[in-house]
Amino acid sequence: MSRFTEDEIKQKVRDGYILESPDEMTEGYRKSLIVQLQVQADTELMSAPAYWMAAQDAPSTNTQVSAVAIIQDELAHANIAYRILEDMGLDKEQLIYGREPHEFKHPYGFDQPLESWAELVTANGFFDRAGITLLSDVYRNTSYGPLKRALVKVDLEETFHLRHGEVWMKRLAQAGGTAKEKLQRAVDWMFPMTVEWFGLPDDMKRHSGQLEYRLKGLTNDQLRQVWMSATVPLCESLGLEVPAHWSDEEQKYVLDFPFPCEYDAEAKHWDFTSGQISWDRVFERWKQRGPMNERYVESVRRSHAPLGRMMAQAA
Amino acid sequence: MTQSEAIRSVAAASRRTRHDLVALRTAEAARRAEAVSEARARAGVDEAALRRAREAWVASLPHDTAALWLALCDVSDPELPISLVDLGLIYDIRRVDTHVDVDCTFTASACPCMAFIKEDIRDRLLEEPNVSSVQVHEVWDPPWTVERMTEEGRAVLRGAGVTV
């Protein structure tokens, strides 16, 4: 039972207080942190099968080593987040093996098939950039000490993933021809996908436990701006088209497409012509999960039960 | 600088200079160094002793390649805010007129960053005056061990939560 009331804890973390143990948490704080950590853990975990699908398209042994090293990092990062969840009384076994695939909380982007090296490196450039945008904000601002310390290493390792994405995007862009076309095609569906990743615009968000409990520092729209401030210049410098630009008038990045809009997952195509849709429609799409959801979840756990049974028989 | 000021300055720079990966990389390096310097403070690193050790090392550098060694002190590992020199990856630097040969190794033969590291060495040395060509040679003997790291390197790793 926490020593603090909800109001007291919100005031204390606003003044810079750092919690060191779950015993200090109020119910509200605990719930908000669990949601945040579940999204973090599930995202890291589900990136592994998504990246592995594309890593099989690596152009050489050394590049495959790089891709697999990224996958290893992601699984380790998932472990860190699940372990912190265990400290808070949740069961990692149940979280990974006891949930239905649609109950995982990773973003819709990791329900999509990554089908080529170009899509893998664009995912490293865009999705990992989204991850580092969110997690470095958590690192800077979180009021939960154990998470802050764990994120130092995560943050450093993510830098290599970004570098991998950006360097390879540059190589493919400079190669021109079919290589650049494939890259542009990847950018076309992944850019809006990542913009949407950051969630509801600020003017629609009711209240955010994550901000009130100092579990993060920036709002969804601010984080979206941070992501675009790295991604738009990157793509422009590589001669790639993106549906967003810097506006001197508004002093921020603005989108050149109706946001949010319909997505055809089968064709990997955003419908910019039918206008804006409601966020309820987006949440519905997210809730139904994307085309690879079941396959990705099963691929990280398919041998768990059968092999467990074999071992038990042998014992 | 607030977040929005930072975004504006990057946007302005990108329109002025066709913003490239170097600017992004510099920002990333600053972010990494920030996280590690906080952690270094927590780990109780003796910064004055490190400075003295570094000054002694600089004084011991061979005359013709000293500037090149110092240049590689600017090149950071792709993950950790630690230079290739402090990591002990640079075995030798030789110079003939404007051509430079570098012998370097890696922490593991399955290092996922070998290509990036070699590119970074070449790019940085080509920025030096009187350097027109650079050849980087991979050397696997003697193999790298943690013993090859400088005290500075160890301090960074301890700050990053790695025990050495």
Side-chain angles (χ1 to χ4, degrees), chain B residues 72 80 92 96 112 122:
Chain B
L72 291 189
L80 299 158
D92 191 30
V96 181
R122 216 175 6 250

Side-chain angles (χ1 to χ4, degrees), chain A residues 108 188-189 192-193 196 257-286 288:
Chain A
Y108 185 69
D188 288 344
W189 72 267
M193 184 73 73
E196 197 185 67
F257 63 95
F259 176 68
C261 66
E262 290 287 356
Y263 183 63
D264 178 345
E266 211 55 40
K268 290 185 170 176
H269 177 76
W270 294 89
D271 184 356
F272 290 173
T273 53
S274 303
Q276 200 180 17
I277 58 170
S278 71
W279 273 93
D280 284 340
R281 295 243 344 149
V282 176
F283 292 140
E284 207 173 302
R285 166 159 47 84
W286 288 0
Q288 285 177 350

Side-chain angles (χ1 to χ4, degrees), chain A residues 100-113:
Chain A
E100 292 299 321
H102 70 266
E103 292 176 307
F104 280 73
K105 294 186 187 303
H106 57 280
Y108 185 69
F110 280 128
D111 281 338
Q112 310 307 318

Side-chain angles (χ1 to χ4, degrees), chain B residues 68-123:
Chain B
L68 305 175
W69 280 98
L70 291 173
L72 291 189
C73 289
D74 296 344
V75 180
S76 165
D77 171 88
E79 253 176 20
L80 299 158
I82 167 177
S83 82
L84 302 182
V85 175
D86 284 309
L87 210 44
L89 297 184
I90 308 299
Y91 280 4
D92 191 30
I93 303 179
R94 297 175 300 281
R95 181 180 197 132
V96 181
D97 300 329
T98 62
H99 176 78
V100 176
D101 286 290
V102 178
D103 290 350
C104 80
T105 193
F106 303 97
T107 55
S109 54
C111 164
C113 295
M114 288 191 272
F116 299 157
I117 290 172
K118 283 179 4 194
E119 269 172 42
D120 288 348
I121 292 172
R122 216 175 6 250
D123 290 350

Side-chain angles (χ1 to χ4, degrees), chain A residues 12-157:
Chain A
K12 278 187 82 71
V13 297
R14 256 201 304 276
D15 297 339
Y17 184 74
I18 300 287
L19 284 79
E20 285 296 343
S21 132
D23 303 342
E24 299 179 84
M25 296 174 191
T26 59
E27 196 47 35
Y29 185 103
R30 187 172 172 276
K31 278 189 176 143
S32 289
L33 180 58
I34 285 173
V35 170
Q36 185 188 59
L37 284 168
Q38 271 198 17
V39 172
Q40 190 188 320
D42 292 350
T43 305
E44 305 276 19
L45 183 68
M46 282 307 126
S47 68
Y51 288 171
W52 171 240
M53 183 174 175
Q56 294 166 76
D57 212 32
S60 69
T61 307
N62 272 10
T63 52
Q64 189 157 53
V65 166
S66 303
V68 173
I70 292 172
I71 294 168
Q72 179 190 304
D73 284 349
E74 303 289 15
L75 290 170
H77 298 171
N79 257 335
I80 289 171
Y82 287 121
R83 199 206 66 237
I84 297 177
L85 282 165
E86 292 210 294
D87 294 345
M88 298 177 53
L90 280 79
D91 179 11
K92 177 182 166 183
E93 186 81 4
Q94 196 282 325
L95 285 170
I96 298 178
Y97 300 102
R99 281 186 293 167
E100 292 299 321
H102 70 266
E103 292 176 307
F104 280 73
K105 294 186 187 303
H106 57 280
Y108 185 69
F110 280 128
D111 281 338
Q112 310 307 318
L114 298 177
E115 295 167 297
S116 66
W117 189 249
E119 290 193 339
L120 174 72
V121 301
T122 307
N124 289 153
F126 286 9
F127 294 175
D128 284 272
R129 167 70 62 183
I132 211 162
T133 299
L134 292 158
L135 288 182
S136 59
D137 175 59
V138 173
Y139 169 76
R140 266 196 208 100
N141 295 288
T142 184
S143 54
Y144 189 47
L147 177 57
K148 186 181 176 80
R149 290 187 292 275
L151 284 175
V152 174
K153 190 166 177 286
V154 173
D155 198 50
L156 294 171
E157 287 171 352

